[in-house]
Amino acid sequence: MKISRYSIFPFIQAEIFPRRWFLFVLALVLALGVFFRFANLDEKPVWGDEAHTFSVVSGYSSFSVSEGYAISEVLDELPTNKVVSVGDFLKYQYPNSERHVGYTLQKLYTDVHPPLYFLTVRFWVKTFGHSVSVLRSISAVYSLLSVLCIYWLCLELFKNPLPGIVGSVLLLTSPIQVIYAQEARPYSLLTLTILFSGASLLWALRTQHKAAWFTYACSAVLGIYSQYFFVLVLLGYAVYVVLIEGLKLTARSRSFLLATFASLLTFLPWAILVLQHLSDFKGSSAWMNQHTLSLLGAVRLWSENISFSFVDPRTSEYLGLGKYSFYFLIPLILALVAYSIYCLVIKTPKQVYLFVFTLIGSTALPLIAIDVLVGGNRQIWPRYIIPCLLGLQISVAYLLTSKSLSSFTLKGWQRKVWPAITTTLITLGIIFCSIMTSADTWWNKYAGEQTNLVSGIVHQAQNPLIVINRQRPGTVFFYNLDPTVKLLFIKDERLIASNFDTGSGDIFLLNPTQKMKAELEQQEYRLSMLAEFPDPSPVPAEPTEFWRITRPQ
């Protein structure tokens, strides 16, 4: 039976896959993928980067690398030396009538991210409500749309629906994709635009239809306005077209150049705004130059990052099994990935494996080169090598599909090897995603365990009040507290006991100065440290301290 290239789900046709169990398993994996992305969205603590998303979306807070995630504009709205509630703080972290969308755009001029994600999030929370789960849920939606796009991309690439099915299943059960699907950051949107633009480009190159090139141009615009690194993806596409078409200006290469140029032209107004605030932009991204990687460190982190597409070896820490108990999976995954690339080269036409190679190298190679030449650690962050991880997933999807199909011509145990490998890989992804979804924090939520510790202490307290050093407010904790918890911001290191001591309730102290602690002790208050942990931001800062204040006897 001939499969229509334009059929959205040709694999459902009974003539191709008559076994109902296949459709049942596929539906089950799809349901699990949806569950992993939307379950317990508000359970894990908000961390620094997500707090920055709140700030930009609300239009209130400014981000300063030198001061961490400072929120001076919000604190200016709150009274000093007067008790307020967490709810009073949070109302400035969501869109309101006092700050229109222009304030959000103004905050983004100096940010390290373009505006598309933050504008869509602002619209999303205004439509569906103000909560952490709503703020994160749009990333889950983007992640699910990515499943359709990877199927389309594989269909265009391999001319067969089966790699698209396997690729979709791998994406649904990928730990790194689930991590970003549950995070209020733009990386699920970046994944979506990469896959959408790749599929659109292959469609346009194949058909040469104006509608196809227009779709590609639109996808490129969405990609650039989602993440600045997407420009490197476009550069990878350009390399791919040159490798396929040669240096001669053909009809296809001419159409590609026109569509890409048009997309870059639409980005010009925003680029001008960024250039006008280039010094602030450099300051916001200066943390990437703080640490230089050793060769062994880079190899270790790259190995971890590649494995995150299929398993999460760091899960052992959250199960109490030690840090490295699951690291034996990493060399197995690397071997599978390497073999998939080998098979891709020897078994597919050059227009197939070259596309995958340019996708893998589009951000990986430039980031490695920059780190080597000027120092820094850009290459080790999974969010910056998403195109590379997607390319490797597509390569593995092709390997599993081709080997599983060819195994049906074999006999005995050899016939079962690759179906068993495929089943094991998908099952491992489901297991790791299940553990991650049910956990109260994860490795991507920097200082998440400490945030849970502080919020747990405050939650168990009676009528709690948190006295806060206004210069180091540690506001990332506030998103995880009950809105009725009382806050008291102290300015200029002046701490007067009568401002907070009403004679009832538990009192805590967040990031006090030495003068604050000395003044309290002089008034015979007793201080006991409950938690101290390093600042999680990439820029070195003083440790975060959380104290209990005990009244004089």
Side-chain angles (χ1 to χ4, degrees):
M1 175 180 178
K2 185 178 180 180
I3 302 174
S4 171
R5 177 179 298 279
Y6 300 100
S7 177
I8 299 177
F9 297 114
F11 54 84
I12 295 181
Q13 300 177 43
E15 295 88 342
I16 303 173
F17 294 109
R19 298 182 181 180
R20 294 183 178 179
W21 64 266
F22 180 85
L23 294 181
F24 172 77
V25 171
L26 194 61
L28 178 61
V29 173
L30 177 59
L32 287 173
V34 174
F35 173 78
F36 293 150
R37 284 155 175 77
F38 286 96
N40 302 323
L41 274 176
D42 58 348
E43 287 298 314
K44 293 180 178 62
V46 173
W47 68 291
D49 278 13
E50 288 185 305
H52 180 50
T53 299
F54 276 94
S55 301
V56 173
V57 168
S58 68
Y60 270 96
S61 304
S62 57
F63 173 71
S64 170
V65 171
S66 61
E67 299 175 1
Y69 290 88
I71 54 162
S72 57
E73 290 184 346
V74 174
L75 295 184
D76 289 341
E77 299 289 335
L78 298 174
T80 302
N81 297 334
K82 183 178 179 181
V83 174
V84 296
S85 69
V86 169
D88 293 328
F89 164 79
L90 290 179
K91 75 178 183 180
Y92 296 107
Q93 296 298 286
Y94 294 100
N96 59 55
S97 58
E98 297 178 8
R99 293 281 172 118
H100 53 72
V101 68
Y103 286 93
T104 294
L105 291 173
Q106 185 179 5
K107 300 304 175 187
L108 287 167
Y109 294 161
T110 58
D111 194 35
V112 292
H113 296 285
L116 180 60
Y117 169 78
F118 298 95
L119 294 178
T120 56
V121 170
R122 181 182 174 93
F123 169 79
W124 190 263
V125 296
K126 288 184 69 174
T127 303
F128 297 103
H130 296 176
S131 70
V132 173
S133 59
V134 170
L135 195 77
R136 288 172 171 169
S137 64
I138 192 171
S139 295
V141 172
Y142 288 142
S143 185
L144 288 180
L145 292 175
S146 298
V147 176
L148 296 177
C149 288
I150 197 172
Y151 173 78
W152 181 24
L153 174 57
C154 290
L155 185 61
E156 289 288 345
L157 196 60
F158 300 109
K159 311 299 187 292
N160 189 315
L162 287 177
I165 298 171
V166 177
S168 299
V169 170
L170 291 178
L171 199 73
L172 282 167
T173 59
S174 169
I176 194 65
Q177 295 296 334
V178 173
I179 284 174
Y180 290 141
Q182 290 204 329
E183 188 159 279
R185 299 299 288 162
Y187 308 117
S188 282
L189 177 59
L190 175 61
T191 300
L192 173 61
T193 56
I194 291 170
L195 295 172
F196 181 44
S197 63
S200 301
L201 174 61
L202 294 176
W203 176 38
L205 290 173
R206 176 176 58 83
T207 63
Q208 273 290 81
H209 290 166
K210 291 183 179 180
W213 284 115
F214 177 77
T215 302
Y216 163 71
C218 291
S219 68
V221 172
L222 294 176
I224 301 173
Y225 274 97
S226 300
Q227 182 69 265
Y228 292 122
F229 282 124
F230 190 85
V231 173
L232 299 178
V233 177
L234 292 181
L235 180 60
Y237 291 159
V239 172
Y240 172 71
V241 172
V242 170
L243 292 175
I244 296 300
E245 296 295 311
L247 297 176
K248 185 178 180 180
L249 192 62
T250 63
R252 295 201 300 181
S253 59
R254 185 186 300 108
S255 298
F256 169 79
L257 288 174
L258 289 174
T260 304
F261 178 77
S263 64
L264 292 173
L265 195 64
T266 62
F267 189 69
L268 185 60
W270 186 260
I272 292 173
L273 290 174
V274 172
L275 290 175
Q276 290 175 343
H277 300 82
L278 188 59
S279 60
D280 294 326
F281 181 87
K282 289 181 178 179
S284 298
S285 58
W287 63 269
M288 291 189 235
N289 298 315
Q290 293 295 320
H291 305 285
T292 300
L293 288 171
S294 65
L295 179 60
L296 289 178
V299 171
R300 179 182 66 84
L301 291 170
W302 264 101
S303 300
E304 280 188 5
N305 291 340
I306 291 173
S307 70
F308 288 151
S309 292
F310 309 97
V311 298
D312 192 339
R314 296 184 183 178
T315 301
S316 58
E317 293 185 66
Y318 299 91
L319 297 178
L321 301 176
K323 184 176 182 179
Y324 301 107
S325 296
F326 291 158
Y327 273 54
F328 73 92
L329 293 171
I330 294 179
L332 299 178
I333 295 296
L334 294 180
L336 182 68
V337 169
Y339 185 57
S340 73
I341 293 174
Y342 168 77
C343 290
L344 198 69
V345 173
I346 65 173
K347 292 187 177 182
T348 64
K350 74 171 186 177
Q351 61 264 32
V352 173
Y353 67 76
L354 285 178
F355 180 86
V356 177
F357 285 179
T358 53
L359 185 61
I360 291 172
S362 59
T363 57
L365 294 180
L367 293 181
I368 292 173
I370 294 173
D371 284 351
V372 170
L373 294 175
V374 303
N377 58 5
R378 300 161 187 82
Q379 60 181 294
I380 67 168
W381 302 97
R383 57 185 181 263
Y384 297 147
I385 58 171
I386 287 176
C388 174
L389 301 182
L390 291 173
L392 296 177
Q393 281 186 299
I394 292 171
S395 179
V396 171
Y398 170 77
L399 172 69
L400 298 178
T401 302
S402 61
K403 290 295 183 179
S404 296
L405 287 178
S406 62
S407 66
F408 288 114
T409 62
L410 303 176
K411 295 181 180 181
W413 63 271
Q414 294 178 331
R415 183 174 185 176
K416 300 179 180 179
V417 171
W418 281 103
I421 292 175
T422 304
T423 303
T424 300
L425 188 64
I426 295 171
T427 302
L428 285 174
I430 292 173
I431 292 173
F432 284 117
C433 289
S434 299
I435 297 171
M436 178 173 50
T437 302
S438 60
D440 58 2
T441 188
W442 209 247
W443 56 262
N444 65 306
K445 307 293 185 185
Y446 298 105
E449 293 179 353
Q450 292 83 358
T451 301
N452 285 341
L453 173 63
V454 170
S455 60
I457 292 172
V458 176
H459 179 72
Q460 295 175 4
Q462 295 182 351
N463 192 25
L465 168 67
I466 305 177
V467 182
I468 304 160
N469 174 11
R470 194 180 189 278
Q471 303 305 314
R472 295 182 58 215
T475 53
V476 71
F477 298 115
F478 303 163
Y479 301 94
N480 306 283
L481 299 176
D482 189 277
T484 60
V485 171
K486 294 177 292 184
L487 309 174
L488 176 62
F489 293 95
I490 301 297
K491 186 179 181 181
D492 300 329
E493 299 183 340
R494 290 175 294 183
L495 185 62
I496 304 173
S498 59
N499 281 353
F500 64 81
D501 195 352
T502 60
S504 62
D506 296 319
I507 307 174
F508 302 96
L509 188 60
L510 180 61
N511 291 331
T513 64
Q514 292 298 326
K515 290 185 178 180
M516 289 180 179
K517 290 185 284 186
E519 182 177 347
L520 280 170
E521 290 172 347
Q522 186 177 3
Q523 298 181 44
E524 299 184 353
Y525 284 86
R526 185 162 56 88
L527 302 178
S528 54
M529 182 179 289
L530 301 177
E532 179 183 23
F533 41 90
D535 187 270
S537 66
V539 180
E542 297 179 52
T544 297
E545 297 179 354
F546 191 66
W547 298 72
R548 183 188 296 275
I549 302 176
T550 304
R551 297 179 178 85
Q553 298 295 327

